[in-house]
Amino acid sequence: MTVVHIGHAFYGAGNIGDDLMLAGFLACVESRADLVFTCCTSHDIESQRRRFPRIEWLPYTSEQRRAAIANADVWLGLGGSPFQSDDGDWFTHHLIEEMALCAEREVPMDFLGVGVNDADALRDVRLRHVLARARVLLTRDARSARLLRPCAPAVAGADLAHVFLEDWARDRANAHEGDAHEGRIGFCLNFHEDLSPLVAPFEALLERCPQPEAVGLVGEVRVLPQGERALYGLLSSERASRLRVCVPDYAAPTCEALLAAWPRCGFALSSRYHAALVQAWSGACVGVLGINDKLRGAAEELGVPLFERLDDVDLSCLVAAVSPERLLARAVVARQMVARWLEAVDGGGMRAVPRQGVPQRVVVICPDALGDLVLRQPLLTALVEKGHAVTVAARSHVAALTSYIDPRLDVLTIPVNPYHIVQPLEHAQALAELVADLEACDFEVVMFPAYTRTVVDEAVARGLPWVRRVGFSGAGALPFTNQELETLLSALPETVDVARLTVEVPVSQAWPETRKYAALAELGFDAPVAQPRPRLTLPKETTALARQVLADLGLTSKRYAAVFPLGTANVSLKAVPRGVTVTVTTALARDVGLEVLLMGEEAERAELEVLRDTLGSTGVAARVWVGGVQDLGTLLGLLAEARLYFGADTGPMHMAAALGVPVAAVFGGGTWPRFVPQAEHACVVVRPIECFGCGWSCPYPRPRCLDELDPAQVADDVRRFCAGLPAG
């Protein structure tokens, strides 16, 4: 014998949908005499014993629950929507207690035919612990499966009530031949909000209904403050006279007798899941009020009109009944779902829930710049060392850096520059194509390591709601208005409304990025970072190429300073003031004895040549090297051969640090101190003022934090730093 304890405790509470699910389940296991069922309930236990004598019904006490679970071979979360928050967290408390009791006795937890009431519930870390314990997770509709997959490997099934309703509908159709019901309209309206604003739109609907053919179907026999019986009771006497209220007899001995109170309808509008199913099986033209994800899932399964609010309802849209073939298919899927669960009970097992640390296919979304990717090297290597298959999604010129970070990384190209949006609709289409590419790759986890989010992060998070999504809690906001954002995301396929992240790692904005990434690796993936300082590795051919370029420039390895004085393509404000650059490089040449190589992008050539000529007028013979995206290897090689990096807070600064080169950097206050160089030997010059942390949204015509630096003082700081460096 196998003892199955049904752990959901809502049975007998008066919701007839629960009884229909239970009847369908018991029909599926009718032939399994070896299964013994127990269930604890604090509700109408006698009604349950009367309708479902196969189950041993027990009082809902701590002692009975503990004893029943200790006695069980399997704990079964059967039917309903256990993942809910809009009706309070009472059921979450119940599940946590049940999980603890199962853990005591090592009883496996299975979920069968369950749904997600509202996606917000999945933000609750307590429910994620419950899902992590689940051996089997079979849902009652596809929408619930999509919502749950970021947390656990949910498999879509069908609601168990379909199994009962298949036979019921056939018998009822035969018994009611000739019943004039075509013009009758049934309402089953239950809400989780104040009912008073809903009375007027409901009365307006009743006004349009033919007399006396409107019926108020009651799915919950108790008079709850926000239930259908309470709503019907708020109607004016005139409107109430137009509505025949139909309340099932909860003392009925069978589910067929429960439903006898509901007349056949030609049309039906429902905000209860199972009322919609019952009316569909009855042959009605059904509309659903999508007040939560549970109802949206019902509309998807039935393929019927969905209205978001009572004010939006247009009864003229209810023109087609659900096809019998569609309903029969749902009943077949429900039976297959139970059969699959029985295989697990009998020892066939099911796929285990991915745990932290178990190797998975991970894509890391890196829409930002070269320096950001350099700082993520310890994070990426930690993931690879943990056994994960890691793909870096980055813009093409950034993605080229991955071979120097870790050759085990795969690459996927991001076709959008989120910092330079020129044609929003074209960018929208490119974002949609990126999401489609990611979906095709079938990743199990998406990581968002950018603390300051971009539209790329938002598109991927929205477009892949069923994938586990890991990132920072409280991350920086997008630089777009809601309208701009919706335009940029307009080409995405319609997706479900879920929390943007499924795993949120708490960090402080002021932490250096490498510290944030270490927290992301450890808390999000159980992958501690062994070496927090970034490291880049160059192949021999890259070094040889750089030395040839140096020879052509007349420079000597380890005898020159690599000087990057200008800003970056994304933030030109970061540029070192010209006076500071001239003063410091002159000091490096005359006092430290270093040659000077002015470096930058092709677009910066003219400014660099002006600096070269200015230095030449003081007797310093500087050289200039500029490169493009195709010259990344040469850039890295030239940095690695330098004795010193001097310049702005740029990607090359982080590259130099990761190549073991001492760094002397001039910082403004835009993102201070998040991007301080992670070098073994570093000197940072900064002038804090009241607007530090502006995110480079400078309140002044020019950044005072940089323009007011004293060139002579900066030069003195750099001289002292160089004097303290080990010989090299």
Side-chain angles (χ1 to χ4, degrees):
M1 303 295 286
T2 300
V3 179
V4 179
H5 179 66
I6 299 173
H8 287 177
F10 44 63
Y11 292 104
N15 187 323
I16 67 171
D18 300 337
D19 294 82
L20 304 184
M21 290 186 299
L22 195 50
F25 170 72
L26 291 175
C28 291
V29 297
E30 187 176 9
S31 64
R32 291 294 300 265
D34 60 314
L35 298 179
V36 174
F37 298 99
T38 62
C39 185
C40 296
T41 180
S42 60
H43 302 293
D44 188 349
I45 198 168
E46 291 306 320
S47 72
Q48 300 303 288
R49 287 171 175 163
R50 188 180 306 115
R51 283 193 287 277
F52 308 109
R54 181 170 178 183
I55 298 171
E56 181 183 1
W57 294 96
L58 304 167
Y60 187 82
T61 65
S62 297
E63 295 76 13
Q64 290 280 12
R65 292 166 65 196
R66 183 180 297 275
I69 291 175
N71 238 6
D73 299 296
V74 179
W75 181 97
L76 179 61
L78 181 66
S81 300
F83 311 109
Q84 57 178 269
S85 65
D86 63 2
D87 195 26
D89 62 354
W90 60 274
F91 203 73
T92 299
H93 283 297
H94 166 78
L95 288 176
I96 291 297
E97 292 172 353
E98 297 283 289
M99 180 181 69
L101 293 173
C102 288
E104 284 181 12
R105 297 287 182 158
E106 297 185 349
V107 176
M109 297 183 75
D110 296 344
F111 288 92
L112 180 64
V114 296
V116 175
N117 187 77
D118 53 292
D120 283 344
L122 300 179
R123 296 175 183 268
D124 193 326
V125 69
R126 297 172 299 172
L127 282 179
R128 293 183 193 168
H129 285 307
V130 173
L131 288 166
R133 286 271 311 172
R135 178 185 65 170
V136 173
L137 185 56
L138 295 160
T139 70
R140 69 182 183 187
D141 52 52
R143 185 183 186 90
S144 294
R146 293 198 303 268
L147 289 168
L148 286 166
R149 279 176 188 149
C151 308
V155 177
D159 195 273
L160 293 160
H162 286 294
V163 177
F164 166 80
L165 291 171
E166 180 182 5
D167 290 336
W168 170 83
R170 182 174 54 249
D171 294 343
R172 193 179 204 199
N174 294 333
H176 285 266
E177 286 185 6
D179 180 17
H181 66 280
E182 289 81 1
R184 187 179 297 143
I185 300 180
F187 296 95
C188 190
L189 302 179
N190 168 70
F191 298 92
H192 294 284
E193 58 183 290
D194 179 18
L195 296 179
S196 54
L198 303 172
V199 174
F202 183 38
E203 290 188 337
L205 285 176
L206 288 175
E207 182 66 27
R208 297 195 291 273
C209 294
Q211 287 185 292
E213 294 300 315
V215 294
L217 307 174
V218 173
E220 169 67 72
V221 300
R222 295 179 297 168
V223 182
L224 300 175
Q226 297 165 332
E228 54 265 55
R229 296 182 73 176
L231 176 63
Y232 304 155
L234 293 175
L235 297 174
S236 66
S237 57
E238 180 185 353
R239 295 293 181 268
S241 67
R242 302 176 66 96
L243 185 72
R244 175 160 60 100
V245 177
C246 304
V247 184
D249 178 9
Y250 208 62
T254 65
C255 288
E256 290 83 355
L258 270 181
L259 289 178
W262 285 10
R264 294 184 73 188
C265 298
F267 305 89
L269 177 68
S270 180
S271 65
R272 279 198 183 275
Y273 193 99
H274 289 100
L277 268 57
V278 170
Q279 292 304 313
W281 278 98
S282 295
C285 301
V286 178
V288 169
L289 272 175
I291 61 174
N292 53 33
D293 286 289
K294 174 172 65 177
L295 272 303
R296 296 181 192 109
E300 287 180 12
E301 293 297 289
L302 298 174
V304 300
L306 177 69
F307 307 101
E308 288 298 324
R309 302 180 309 136
L310 199 55
D311 290 323
D312 301 331
V313 172
D314 181 358
L315 294 175
S316 66
C317 293
L318 309 184
V319 295
V322 181
S323 71
E325 294 77 15
R326 187 179 193 126
L327 294 172
L328 290 169
R330 303 317 299 154
V332 169
V333 171
R335 290 190 180 91
Q336 292 172 340
M337 176 182 70
V338 177
R340 183 166 185 175
W341 171 71
L342 289 172
E343 289 177 3
V345 172
D346 295 338
M350 284 193 57
R351 186 164 67 93
V353 178
R355 312 289 183 185
Q356 279 190 339
V358 174
Q360 297 174 71
R361 297 183 302 280
V362 182
V363 61
V364 184
I365 307 300
C366 299
D368 34 23
L370 287 162
D372 301 289
L373 191 57
V374 171
L375 293 174
R376 292 172 190 145
Q377 178 271 320
L379 162 67
L380 297 170
T381 295
L383 294 179
V384 173
E385 292 294 333
K386 196 71 176 179
H388 300 296
V390 180
T391 296
V392 174
R395 289 181 285 157
S396 57
H397 73 285
V398 178
L401 187 63
T402 55
S403 62
Y404 303 100
I405 289 176
D406 195 310
R408 295 169 291 183
L409 298 171
D410 289 326
V411 174
L412 189 149
T413 300
I414 292 176
V416 173
N417 181 353
Y419 306 104
H420 189 61
I421 304 294
V422 179
Q423 299 290 337
L425 293 179
E426 290 183 12
H427 280 78
Q429 185 57 46
L431 288 169
E433 292 170 1
L434 170 64
V435 169
D437 289 343
L438 290 168
E439 184 175 1
C441 292
D442 196 26
F443 292 107
E444 296 169 291
V445 185
V446 181
M447 179 198 286
F448 301 95
Y451 184 83
T452 303
R453 294 186 291 133
T454 73
V455 69
V456 174
D457 301 293
E458 190 72 15
V460 174
R462 287 197 192 185
L464 301 176
W466 49 84
V467 179
R468 184 170 178 255
R469 302 177 307 285
V470 182
F472 297 120
S473 60
L478 289 159
F480 301 104
T481 65
N482 288 338
Q483 184 175 358
E484 290 170 331
L485 184 61
E486 291 309 314
T487 299
L488 287 166
L489 302 180
S490 60
L492 287 178
E494 185 178 350
T495 57
V496 295
D497 182 19
V498 297
R500 196 175 65 83
L501 297 176
T502 50
V503 177
E504 295 186 344
V505 175
V507 296
S508 168
Q509 179 177 359
W511 285 2
E513 299 301 277
T514 49
R515 184 179 175 188
K516 292 188 181 80
Y517 301 147
L520 198 59
E522 185 161 3
L523 299 180
F525 294 86
D526 191 26
V529 170
Q531 168 54 261
R533 185 174 293 137
R535 290 286 183 267
L536 296 177
T537 304
L538 303 186
K540 293 179 180 179
E541 54 269 26
T542 297
T543 301
L545 175 61
R547 288 176 177 171
Q548 181 58 56
V549 172
L550 289 176
D552 294 341
L553 291 170
L555 297 174
T556 306
S557 177
K558 297 301 179 182
R559 294 300 306 155
Y560 64 93
V563 179
F564 273 83
L566 303 181
T568 65
N570 294 337
V571 187
S572 59
L573 290 176
K574 292 181 181 181
V576 181
R578 184 182 295 181
V580 173
T581 300
V582 171
T583 302
V584 172
T585 50
T586 299
L588 289 173
R590 292 178 176 174
D591 303 331
V592 182
L594 293 179
E595 300 166 321
V596 175
L597 177 60
L598 298 172
M599 304 180 71
E601 301 174 0
E602 180 62 42
E604 299 166 338
R605 180 187 293 274
E607 176 66 15
L608 292 173
E609 289 179 347
V610 169
L611 278 171
R612 179 197 59 194
D613 294 343
T614 301
L615 288 168
S617 65
T618 67
V620 176
R623 279 78 164 178
V624 172
W625 180 88
V626 294
V629 295
Q630 73 280 2
D631 299 310
L632 178 61
T634 305
L635 168 62
L636 290 168
L638 292 175
L639 287 169
E641 294 297 305
R643 171 61 174 156
L644 175 75
Y645 171 96
F646 171 74
D649 164 22
T650 64
M653 176 194 74
H654 295 299
M655 295 177 195
L659 291 165
V661 176
V663 169
V666 175
F667 268 71
T671 53
W672 176 263
R674 289 171 51 191
F675 295 96
V676 292
Q678 301 298 307
E680 184 176 358
H681 303 285
C683 166
V684 174
V685 178
V686 65
R687 182 180 182 275
I689 57 177
E690 69 281 355
C691 53
F692 256 44
C694 67
W696 292 113
S697 179
C698 186
Y700 301 103
R702 284 283 309 160
R704 285 179 47 214
C705 55
L706 289 167
D707 281 6
E708 294 180 6
L709 287 168
D710 180 354
Q713 182 61 55
V714 177
D716 286 343
D717 292 340
V718 174
R719 284 192 197 92
R720 284 193 295 271
F721 171 65
C722 292
L725 292 175

